[in-house]
């Protein structure tokens, strides 16, 4: 699968996979502060996000589905200061 997201720097951008309403889904952050949820049931290149939202004013580098209820998620944002 190829799932588009902004990755304009060399900062690591994590992702998570979980079963959401019976479908395997990927949650991903991006360097432009957005989060995306993609279904793995949709074949590439037709994959488009099931959901997308602006989560932070900097890169969303860490994302995770709740291990007990994948309808809940956590994000971590920030940027490296020099």
């Amino acid at each position: 699968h190829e799932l588009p997201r902004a990755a304009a720097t060399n900062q690591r951008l994590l992702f998570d996979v979980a079963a959401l309403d019976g479908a395997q889904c990927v949650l991903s952050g991006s360097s432009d502060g957005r989060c995306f949820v993609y279904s793995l049931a949709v074949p590439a290149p037709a994959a488009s996000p099931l959901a997308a939202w602006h989560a932070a004013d900097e890169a969303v580098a860490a994302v995770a589905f709740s291990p007990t209820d994948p309808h809940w998620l956590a994000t971590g944002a920030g940027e490296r200061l020099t």
Side-chain angles (χ1 to χ4, degrees), residues 19-69:
L20 186 61
D21 297 328
Q24 285 293 107
C25 292
V26 173
L27 170 65
S28 176
S30 66
S31 64
D32 63 2
R34 295 184 296 160
C35 290
F36 301 92
V37 177
Y38 290 95
S39 171
L40 292 178
V42 178
S48 61
L50 297 174
W53 65 96
H54 186 260
D57 290 332
E58 56 270 333
V60 178
V63 293
F65 285 109
S66 166
T68 57
D69 183 353

Side-chain angles (χ1 to χ4, degrees), residues 65-82:
F65 285 109
S66 166
T68 57
D69 183 353
H71 291 97
W72 288 90
L73 54 93
T75 64
E79 59 186 58
R80 188 177 323 163
L81 300 175
T82 57

